[in-house]
Amino acid sequence: MASGSSRRPPEPRGTKMSSHQASDDVTGQRFAALALAALGVVYGDIGTSPLYAVKEVFAGNHPIPVTTANIYGSLSLFFWALIIVVSVKYVTFIMRADNRGEGGIMALIALALRTVQEKPHHARWIMVVGVLGAAMFYGDGMVTPAMSVLSAVEGLEVGAPALHPFIIPITIVVLFGLFFVQKSGTAVVGAFFGPFMLAWFSVLALLGIDNIVGHPEILMALNPLYGFEFLLANKAMSLVAMGNVVLAVTGAEALYADMGHFGRKPISRAWFAFVLPALVLNYLGQGAAILADPAVADNPFYRSAPDWALYPLIGLATLATVIASQAVISGAFSVTRQAMQLGFVPRMEVQHTSEKEQGQIYLPAVNWGLMVAVMILVLGFKSSNNLAAAYGIAVTGDMVITSILATVVAAKVWGWGWIRAGLLFACFLAVELVFLAANILKIPDGGWFPLVAGMAVFVLMTTWKRGRQLLADRLQGERLELALFLDALASSMPTRVAGTSVFLNADPKGVPHALLHNLMHNKVLHERVVLLSVQFFDVPYVPDIDRVEVRQLKENFWSVVIQYGFKDEPDIPLALSHCADAGLAFSPLETSYFIGRETLIPRLGSEMAFWREKIFVAMFRNASPATAFFNIPSNRVVELGTQVVL
């Protein structure tokens, strides 16, 4: 069986290089291609924020007065939020916290856990905080597609108010089409994402410049003093405004999460050279348009465009929001698979949509579950103004958790010490906690939804992790030492039959329950018996040279340990082919796989609450079979069941 591992991850001895390392070494055309691809995948979410961020400040559910001081002040906050949160925190510091080239919340959890290997209590808290961050990611992933696509389609009523009744149906159709095509993969359309987003950011910059030329005084908003004056002047309303300012930095997590696909340097260069200037110019341009005519504050993005450009802009914006949503959905697939292999969620069906790109996967359960949640949001909230209340709290919660984990990594992994690391990330936390406090005010207006969704995911993930540990403890109580078993077997050998039997086994030093049941019922052993353990490490990839460890035991028994990273694709038959060099060659037609299948029975008075036991049992029953997860031919599998009382 698969198991997490407390062993130290294998140091890579092969030549396999992560995509991050590879991309950071390339130059010229390849570097430009990676930066262009990053535009299409990494910056979709943050790149569509201009559709709604400024509008929510002046025309949202809690608008502030449209005055010159408020325009300068709010835009100053937008600019410095992009500088402090995105440019300094994520691009400059967080993206240095890579786990052998990979980023994202799961990679950060793995790095932080390595610093407390000898302190189980600290490790438990780090794991809880990290899983909470991952759960907040799912909450954000539900709101992003609904918010972004709905805000793009709402541009229709700017040009033709009579089209208002069609906004919700069109949004639903666009979203359904987006989720429906996920099973086909992004390999075909992915090549177009970068050029389209290049056009999108170019349009953002041009719209901004066109409006700034008419009112160049808006450039004074770059002065941070206007932001401070805005906060002091508005007092109570300033906290509400900060809740809308955070909309400008939603999507910052994607820079870190997708680092393994493109590399730190292409992502950072694309940000500083193109994305950041385009966003700043567009925000300033929207401010200039409001200065010229305060009436455009109800939708400054669309109303800042020339009349002839409105409908082409709506089409381009809708496509940009679909691309942004695609990135969030793909991220949910990736995080789920990583969580699956680290033991936080049950096995589920994973389909590969590309023969060349390992990261292009499709998880039907996640896809359709996410679609249902997004549809409920659109139908329930009905407008981007209402959805803005639900947007932001999950993002800011995730940012706070990232800063906490990064403090641990900087202090212990980077060797900064607690004082230096604490001072740096305390500055980021000060800003993010203000954002979080501002978004807490949104809870009654809809902010409860991502919180409830995130907490539901958190309960499921922690229940699965704890339940698996409880199940392992129960099986450990019935454990029979392998060495003693082989000694006893030598004195009373059962009948041996031709072929090879492979018994999946979580404990390399114990006897698989399936082997004991096979002896009890069938009274025979194959002439060659392989005890197979699969272990996942908190590194992205394990090189092929370290894939298998083979030991020959007594009586033609063999012990094989297969090692994977959390982004490797498990394939047991392929991994076993590497055993030939150690004298253990497999013939597929003469090999049978024996798998234990436990039937769980919950009980009162266990170490886990009874209601959580019931949830764990339901998740366990609905988990995908090990045969599909490990790519084992189903016609070569024998399952032997047993009952386990939790």
Side-chain angles (χ1 to χ4, degrees):
M1 295 290 289
S3 70
S5 177
S6 59
R7 300 168 55 198
R8 185 176 296 278
E11 294 298 327
R13 293 181 282 125
T15 59
K16 185 174 182 178
M17 183 180 294
S18 73
S19 57
H20 162 77
Q21 293 167 318
S23 59
D24 278 357
D25 291 338
V26 298
T27 56
Q29 290 185 345
R30 175 61 177 159
F31 189 91
L34 285 168
L36 181 62
L39 282 180
V41 176
V42 177
Y43 293 112
D45 191 357
I46 199 169
T48 52
S49 295
L51 284 167
Y52 45 78
V54 177
K55 180 181 73 170
E56 289 305 316
V57 175
F58 298 106
N61 289 341
H62 302 284
I64 64 173
V66 181
T67 65
T68 300
N70 285 345
I71 294 171
Y72 283 5
S74 58
L75 290 179
S76 179
L77 293 176
F78 273 60
F79 173 71
W80 288 104
L82 289 170
I83 296 298
I84 295 171
V85 176
V86 184
S87 300
V88 179
K89 176 188 170 181
Y90 279 96
V91 177
T92 305
F93 290 104
I94 295 294
M95 288 178 64
R96 296 179 183 273
D98 67 291
N99 186 2
R100 299 191 185 179
E102 296 295 330
I105 188 68
M106 287 297 170
L108 199 58
I109 293 172
L111 287 172
L113 285 175
R114 289 183 202 168
T115 68
V116 291
Q117 288 183 345
E118 307 302 325
K119 300 177 180 178
H121 180 70
H122 293 174
R124 189 177 305 113
W125 277 108
I126 287 175
M127 191 173 297
V128 168
V129 171
V131 171
L132 184 59
M136 290 296 101
F137 170 83
Y138 286 102
D140 176 44
M142 295 173 187
V143 182
T144 297
M147 177 74 177
S148 56
V149 175
L150 187 55
S151 62
V153 178
E154 281 176 343
L156 290 172
E157 64 180 346
V158 173
L163 294 176
H164 177 78
F166 298 96
I167 289 175
I168 297 296
I170 292 174
T171 301
I172 292 294
V173 169
V174 171
L175 288 169
F176 177 79
L178 172 63
F179 283 98
F180 183 77
V181 301
Q182 292 301 312
K183 60 184 178 182
S184 302
T186 59
V188 176
V189 296
F192 299 98
F193 283 5
F196 271 117
M197 292 307 292
L198 179 65
W200 170 252
F201 284 112
S202 299
V203 169
L204 289 183
L206 291 173
L207 285 175
I209 293 171
D210 181 54
N211 287 279
I212 291 171
V213 168
H215 287 272
E217 65 272 20
I218 195 65
L219 294 174
M220 292 190 299
L222 299 179
N223 187 337
L225 291 178
Y226 285 102
F228 285 115
E229 292 174 358
F230 171 81
L231 295 176
L232 293 174
N234 286 278
K235 292 185 171 64
M237 286 300 296
S238 64
L239 194 59
V240 176
M242 288 294 284
N244 294 322
V245 171
V246 76
L247 297 176
V249 295
T250 57
E253 282 285 335
L255 279 70
Y256 181 46
D258 289 313
M259 184 170 62
H261 294 294
F262 305 103
R264 180 167 60 91
K265 288 183 180 178
I267 290 175
S268 61
R269 297 278 177 84
W271 170 253
F272 286 114
F274 195 64
V275 177
L276 178 61
L279 290 175
V280 172
L281 286 170
N282 191 264
Y283 285 130
L284 292 174
Q286 291 188 47
I290 299 174
L291 280 177
D293 181 7
V296 308
D298 66 331
N299 200 322
F301 177 79
Y302 283 117
R303 294 194 185 277
S304 66
D307 292 340
W308 61 265
L310 178 60
Y311 290 106
L313 185 59
I314 292 172
L316 183 61
T318 302
L319 182 59
T321 56
V322 166
I323 292 173
S325 302
Q326 172 66 58
V328 171
I329 297 167
S330 299
F333 294 161
S334 179
V335 169
T336 303
R337 188 178 72 164
Q338 293 179 27
M340 190 190 318
Q341 297 187 352
L342 289 174
F344 290 105
V345 298
R347 292 187 302 264
M348 59 184 71
E349 182 183 0
V350 179
Q351 299 177 10
H352 288 264
T353 59
S354 173
E355 295 180 357
K356 297 180 180 179
E357 298 296 331
Q358 188 180 47
Q360 293 183 7
I361 56 176
Y362 169 66
L363 282 73
V366 175
N367 184 67
W368 298 119
L370 204 57
M371 187 194 77
V372 170
V374 171
M375 297 292 188
I376 290 173
L377 280 167
V378 172
L379 295 173
F381 286 85
K382 296 183 174 60
S383 74
S384 61
N385 281 350
N386 295 332
L387 267 173
Y391 205 26
I393 191 163
V395 176
T396 51
D398 200 15
M399 287 180 177
V400 169
I401 289 170
T402 297
S403 292
I404 293 172
L405 293 177
T407 304
V408 177
V409 172
K412 306 298 290 184
V413 178
W414 297 350
W416 285 13
W418 288 109
I419 295 178
R420 183 182 172 191
L423 287 174
L424 173 65
F425 285 97
C427 297
F428 300 136
L429 278 170
V431 176
E432 291 162 353
L433 288 173
V434 172
F435 284 150
L436 184 60
N439 279 279
I440 287 175
L441 299 177
K442 297 180 178 182
I443 290 177
D445 297 326
W448 57 267
F449 183 90
L451 284 181
V452 170
M455 289 307 300
V457 173
F458 176 78
V459 168
L460 292 175
M461 293 177 76
T462 53
T463 297
W464 180 256
K465 188 74 172 178
R466 178 61 180 139
R468 291 292 298 176
Q469 182 60 52
L470 193 61
L471 175 59
D473 292 343
R474 296 290 182 267
L475 295 176
Q476 184 74 8
E478 304 172 4
R479 179 176 180 268
L480 178 61
E481 287 284 348
L482 179 59
L484 296 176
F485 172 78
L486 292 177
D487 290 340
L489 198 64
S491 61
S492 180
M493 182 64 67
T495 303
R496 308 293 287 257
V497 296
T500 300
S501 58
V502 178
F503 290 88
L504 270 67
N505 186 24
D507 182 5
K509 296 183 179 180
V511 182
H513 283 71
L515 175 56
L516 296 176
H517 280 273
N518 182 56
L519 274 176
M520 182 187 304
H521 295 289
N522 296 325
K523 317 293 185 185
V524 296
L525 285 175
H526 285 78
E527 61 183 359
R528 188 169 61 173
V529 179
V530 177
L531 307 180
L532 174 63
S533 296
V534 181
Q535 296 180 340
F536 289 97
F537 293 96
D538 59 1
V539 296
Y541 300 101
V542 172
D544 288 340
I545 195 172
D546 295 320
R547 180 72 66 211
V548 296
E549 295 179 0
V550 181
R551 288 190 303 122
Q552 186 169 9
L553 308 174
K554 300 177 181 178
E555 310 300 336
N556 209 16
F557 273 65
W558 295 74
S559 173
V560 175
V561 178
I562 301 178
Q563 302 176 135
Y564 291 112
F566 59 76
K567 295 198 74 174
D568 279 320
E569 177 59 28
D571 189 327
I572 283 181
L574 178 62
L576 291 179
S577 67
H578 294 289
C579 298
D581 293 339
L584 183 61
F586 287 86
S587 173
L589 296 180
E590 296 180 359
T591 302
S592 299
Y593 297 87
F594 289 78
I595 299 175
R597 188 169 186 85
E598 297 86 7
T599 299
L600 306 185
I601 302 175
R603 69 178 176 89
L604 293 170
S606 177
E607 292 91 331
M608 189 164 64
F610 186 72
W611 64 270
R612 292 185 70 190
E613 285 189 358
K614 298 285 284 185
I615 292 175
F616 174 67
V617 170
M619 295 171 72
F620 190 86
R621 288 173 180 167
N622 288 282
S624 293
T627 52
F629 184 74
F630 291 118
N631 202 29
I632 301 173
S634 56
N635 60 346
R636 305 300 305 172
V637 173
V638 178
E639 289 190 350
L640 297 167
T642 183
Q643 285 190 343
V644 179
V645 179
L646 294 174

